Amino acid sequence: MNEEVSKQIADLEARVSKLEQMIIGSDPAKSVSAPKRAQVSVVEFLREKKPSTAVDKALVFAVYHENQTGKDVFNTEDLLSLWRQAKEIPPVNINDLINKNIKKGFVAEEKTEKGQKKSWYVTTSGSDTVNKSFQK
């Protein structure tokens, strides 16, 4: 019985070793890896959506922020950061752009503040407009 147990242990160790090699990737052909989510840069997203005005760009950046962070609330700092990442000249008055999107019904004010700053969220119609690349 000792021999049988030793044989089973050796067999199990070999199987575990094989699985570890597959996970670690010592054999690329058999390597198991988690699927990677294709990430789109802010510049690519901006080009894809083709905003024609600064108001539209603010909305695109808000939707991008929501998609990339998974957070549906944004503030002015979030948008200005994306503006800089895209190597675009930041607007002088970002609040004006947000207010114009509020008037269009694309953005709404969040009741709770984010980091002691006023915050907003993109509405369904705002997301739809960006996803359709501002087509009427």
Side-chain angles (χ1 to χ4, degrees):
M1 185 160 159
N2 256 351
E3 264 183 56
E4 190 176 318
V5 172
S6 295
K7 186 179 175 189
Q8 287 179 339
I9 290 173
D11 183 47
L12 288 172
E13 286 177 347
R15 291 173 59 196
V16 168
S17 177
K18 193 174 184 178
L19 288 170
E20 286 174 340
Q21 286 176 354
M22 289 173 62
I23 291 170
I24 294 170
S26 63
D27 184 359
K30 295 180 180 179
S31 177
V32 177
S33 61
K36 291 184 179 177
R37 185 179 80 179
Q39 266 197 319
V40 177
S41 75
V42 68
V43 174
E44 291 172 309
F45 193 75
L46 195 60
R47 286 183 187 150
E48 178 187 317
K49 300 306 176 186
K50 300 177 181 119
S52 57
T53 66
V55 175
D56 292 347
K57 277 185 188 179
L59 183 59
V60 168
F61 287 136
V63 170
Y64 180 83
H65 178 267
E66 182 178 291
N67 292 343
Q68 294 302 308
T69 65
K71 299 175 186 172
D72 58 350
V73 177
F74 66 91
N75 63 30
T76 56
E77 286 303 313
D78 296 326
L79 296 190
L80 289 172
S81 173
L82 290 170
W83 230 287
R84 287 186 209 97
Q85 284 178 34
K87 306 289 188 228
E88 296 274 330
I89 299 170
V92 175
N93 188 351
I94 187 85
N95 287 315
D96 184 49
L97 302 178
I98 294 168
N99 287 332
K100 287 179 179 177
N101 275 305
I102 289 172
K103 285 181 184 176
K104 290 180 177 184
F106 296 156
V107 171
E109 188 175 339
E110 177 64 33
K111 298 300 177 203
T112 59
E113 293 184 349
K114 180 183 175 196
Q116 302 300 321
K117 293 186 177 231
K118 198 172 198 180
S119 57
W120 302 269
Y121 63 93
V122 179
T123 64
T124 303
S125 58
S127 291
D128 290 346
T129 299
V130 170
N131 291 333
K132 293 176 185 173
S133 297
F134 297 93
Q135 295 173 357
K136 303 283 182 198

